[in-house]
Amino acid sequence: MQGSPGELDSMMYVQTCDLMNQGILALVSSIGCTSAGSLQSLADAMHIPHLFIQRSTAGTPRSGCGLTRSNRNDDYTLSVRPPVYVNDVILRVVTEYAWQKFIIFYDNEYDIRGIQEFLDKVSQQGMDVALQKVENNINKMITGLFATMRIEELNRYRDTLRRAILVMNASTAKSFITEVVETNLVAFDCHWIIINEEINDVDVQELVRRSIGRLTIIRQTFPVPQNSSQRCFRGNHRISSSLCDPKDPFSQNMEISNLYIYDTVLLLANAFHKKLEDRKWHSMASLTCIRKNSKPWQGGRSMLDTIKKGGVNGLTGELEFAENGGNPNVHFEILGTNYGEDLGRGIRKLGCWNPLTGLNGSLTDRKLENNMRGVVLRVVTVLEEPFVMVSENVLGKPKKYQGFSVDVLEALANYLGFKYEIYVAPDHKYGSPQEDGSWNGLIGELVFKRADIGISALTITPDRENVVDFTTRYMDYSVGVLLRKAEKTVDMFACLAPFDLSLWACIAGTVLLVGLLVYLLNWLNPPRLQMGSMTSTTLYNSMWFVYGSFVQQGGEVPYTTLATRMMMGAWWLFALIVISSYTANLAAFLTITRIENSIQSLQDLSRQTDIPYGTVLDSAVYEHVRVKGMNPFERDSMYSQMWRMINRSNGSENNVLESPAGIQKRRGENCREERVRLQLVETETSKAGTTGH
């Protein structure tokens, strides 16, 4: 009985009851989990052997069915298809690759709870795992990422996509890979794992053709007899040649569920044949599930035992049942490609996995052969700290190069066995196309085959990729702006900085005004002075008294009238607030150095014209600004404004020939009229790599 997971339980229940009226030997179902539960209840109640073959939804990876297992004597359901081992296989493969951070993509039809065990285990091991659901409209989903994410977020997302697991059907996986490759979301150093039991050879080849980087595919496989004459014979039965031939296209495109259905029918035929030979056959009584007094089939238990004790070597290999009523025989095949952009690259078998022995084979990359013994390579470079640097000559010895790129070159030379000679590009340039179509700089040395390899902090651009080959980039870096560091100056009046000049003037005016009011109040109502007191209430003393109380030093004139005391109480409260605010602001000004820079981005740089700026001639930044600035169809006016500044005097005024010269120019240049010249740093480490033929 075959159907889809979306079948209604009631319809299937009625159909099964109709078959029982005619007599039934066993139930064979290939349906979803919900419908299988209803058939299980019916089979247990009527003692009918039920051979259940779980079907994957639209070819997606399966999630295990939680069929209820009752008492062993009352359980008549056998699981023909082996349990789901997706969690175990993925964990073993990820551990073999030593992944610590990756993302899992799954489609709408897959229940993510099927890999919950895997997620729990990798979380316990400290791995960083992200989950993302792939919508039906993949193009809309990718477009939404570019619309909602900023450039920094997209770069972090691209880094996450370097390691990914795809749990989805083949058609969705092909569409998804095509979209991310065409939108440049993945690079050639990515490594993706696709796990799907149902994927066939045609889909595997198509996935390899569309992908870049490295690809690993995990699928279920079935052992094929070594003797070709025995492939189409299983026990007493002959299998159709269109099914048993592994090279036949029809057999390759069959769903795994259909293969198990075929083998299940063979198994039932063998069991029925054995019952007839043993003369222990119980006739198939007419059963009904409608009447309340209907009795179960008396021969159900005997038939179930015969099926469980038997076995068949069919299209899926050995089909047999364990004590728990499940088929333990399952094999997974692990296929893989190497890193590279060649669309015609092949895929090879890396290993296999089964529940008993685990992983058989190695998933590590094959080591390169040391086949360059005696070869001397000419290596061209452009000096750029800290990637390529040169030390001074000592006693006439040749120049010695050092740096990050040189260390990588030295490691390759030791491993492959070649020797090399390094020289600097004659014009000290990275390389750009000229008017006659030729190239200068480092790229020109490679194009004219004067050098075999080029190493430096070199940006990978489309124009350069058309003429030379690049290795995988080893660093991502964005364009930066180099400014002279502002000199620190000593301010003699830093103590006045917490308050504005107008506020200081208001405070001084307030002191004078309050002093005058105190004098007038005491003049209208003179205080009673003690005998022999020499203190007078003059205007000078009133001013001095108000100022002394403001700076919290007290006063010398005794004011005893009520009006004067009320005014001085309000004045002291005002003075307390002002002094407290000043003390707090002064502490902040003395401990925190504020860096004020009006140029925070390229947009800010292009909007101003007071500060001139330039870059390295014939560099990637120079060419990018030139092409964008001279393009009349460019919507962003930022590049045209930057190009007018950079191209002053045909580029000779603000630009330099190499980065060290620009840094030295900014360090040694004197500031005139408070104008600071800027230098756009040539960030040739953006998508940098080693070039060669």
Side-chain angles (χ1 to χ4, degrees), residues 178-429:
T178 301
E179 287 292 336
V180 296
V181 170
E182 291 180 353
T183 54
N184 197 28
L185 276 178
V186 292
F188 294 112
D189 61 344
C190 70
H191 184 184
W192 284 16
I193 298 175
I194 300 176
I195 181 164
N196 193 315
E197 296 172 306
E198 301 278 354
I199 196 168
N200 54 46
D201 293 343
V202 177
D203 291 332
V204 169
Q205 294 297 334
E206 185 66 18
L207 287 170
V208 172
R209 188 185 68 82
R210 299 189 184 192
S211 65
I212 60 177
R214 187 177 182 185
L215 192 66
T216 300
I217 299 176
I218 304 173
R219 65 176 181 178
Q220 187 175 352
T221 186
F222 306 104
V224 179
Q226 298 295 330
N227 189 355
S228 59
S229 61
Q230 299 296 326
R231 289 179 180 176
C232 296
F233 291 92
R234 300 294 186 269
N236 299 326
H237 301 275
R238 178 181 178 86
I239 300 176
S240 173
S241 59
S242 62
L243 299 178
C244 65
D245 187 2
K247 297 182 180 180
D248 189 274
F250 178 73
S251 63
Q252 292 182 5
N253 294 328
M254 286 188 65
E255 292 185 7
I256 294 179
S257 303
N258 296 335
L259 299 178
Y260 277 112
I261 291 175
Y262 193 94
D263 289 350
T264 302
V265 175
L266 289 181
L267 179 64
L268 289 177
N270 285 343
F272 181 64
H273 182 75
K274 186 176 182 180
K275 291 292 272 184
L276 293 178
E277 288 182 345
D278 296 342
R279 301 179 182 274
K280 295 181 180 180
W281 170 248
H282 292 271
S283 61
M284 295 182 293
S286 178
L287 304 176
T288 177
C289 53
I290 301 177
R291 301 175 187 174
K292 295 183 179 180
N293 58 353
S294 179
K295 296 182 179 181
W297 182 28
Q298 297 298 326
R301 172 54 57 180
S302 176
M303 187 65 189
L304 181 67
D305 293 339
T306 304
I307 295 174
K308 293 180 65 175
K309 293 179 181 179
V312 66
N313 186 6
L315 298 176
T316 60
E318 289 291 335
L319 176 56
E320 57 186 0
F321 298 99
E323 289 296 329
N324 59 357
N327 180 12
N329 299 317
V330 63
H331 299 271
F332 283 91
E333 183 180 42
I334 304 174
L335 308 175
T337 64
N338 55 355
Y339 287 108
E341 55 182 302
D342 184 10
L343 297 180
R345 56 186 172 152
I347 188 168
R348 59 188 177 90
K349 183 176 181 180
L350 303 178
C352 57
W353 184 94
N354 63 74
L356 296 179
T357 61
L359 178 65
N360 296 320
S362 176
L363 306 184
T364 57
D365 291 332
R366 294 179 179 178
K367 293 185 177 181
L368 298 175
E369 297 180 359
N370 300 336
N371 55 357
M372 299 185 66
R373 298 291 180 184
V375 177
V376 179
L377 300 179
R378 284 180 54 82
V379 181
V380 61
T381 186
V382 174
L383 300 180
E384 180 71 44
E385 298 180 358
F387 301 96
V388 181
M389 300 174 289
V390 62
S391 58
E392 298 296 333
N393 292 356
V394 179
L395 300 178
K397 293 183 179 180
K399 293 182 179 180
K400 182 178 180 181
Y401 294 91
Q402 58 187 0
F404 178 80
S405 298
V406 179
D407 293 341
V408 174
L409 180 65
E410 182 67 23
L412 287 174
N414 294 334
Y415 186 81
L416 298 177
F418 66 86
K419 297 181 180 180
Y420 59 89
E421 299 175 353
I422 301 180
Y423 72 97
V424 179
D427 54 3
H428 301 275
K429 296 181 179 180

Side-chain angles (χ1 to χ4, degrees), residues 507-580:
I507 293 175
T510 305
V511 171
L512 297 176
L513 179 61
V514 174
L516 179 61
L517 291 176
V518 170
Y519 169 74
L520 293 176
L521 290 174
N522 285 276
W523 180 71
L524 296 175
N525 188 11
R528 297 179 180 178
L529 301 178
Q530 297 179 359
M531 296 297 295
S533 176
M534 300 301 295
T535 303
S536 63
T537 56
T538 62
L539 179 62
Y540 172 78
N541 289 337
S542 299
M543 293 291 182
W544 181 252
F545 174 71
V546 171
Y547 173 75
S549 62
F550 178 77
V551 295
Q552 300 178 356
Q553 298 301 320
E556 300 176 358
V557 181
Y559 297 109
T560 59
T561 62
L562 179 62
T564 306
R565 288 187 175 184
M566 291 179 62
M567 174 170 286
M568 291 309 302
W571 169 250
W572 290 337
L573 180 62
F574 168 78
L576 175 64
I577 296 175
V578 172
I579 294 299
S580 300

Side-chain angles (χ1 to χ4, degrees), residues 120-133:
D120 294 340
K121 290 183 178 179
V122 297
S123 177
Q124 294 173 2
Q125 297 179 12
M127 299 182 187
D128 187 1
V129 184
L131 289 173
Q132 183 169 347
K133 187 176 182 179

Side-chain angles (χ1 to χ4, degrees), residues 427 429-448 450 458-459 461-468 470 618-619 623:
D427 54 3
K429 296 181 179 180
Y430 294 103
S432 61
Q434 306 300 303
E435 295 181 356
D436 58 355
S438 62
W439 284 76
N440 63 357
L442 183 149
I443 301 296
E445 296 294 303
L446 295 172
V447 171
F448 291 105
R450 292 189 287 266
L458 190 66
T459 301
T461 63
D463 292 337
R464 292 171 178 174
E465 282 188 309
N466 290 333
V467 294
V468 297
F470 283 87
D618 296 332
S619 62
E623 289 297 322

Side-chain angles (χ1 to χ4, degrees), residues 481 483 595-605:
V481 181
L483 304 91
I595 301 176
E596 296 183 358
N597 184 9
S598 59
I599 300 176
Q600 300 291 340
S601 62
L602 291 181
Q603 286 79 4
D604 298 337
L605 187 64

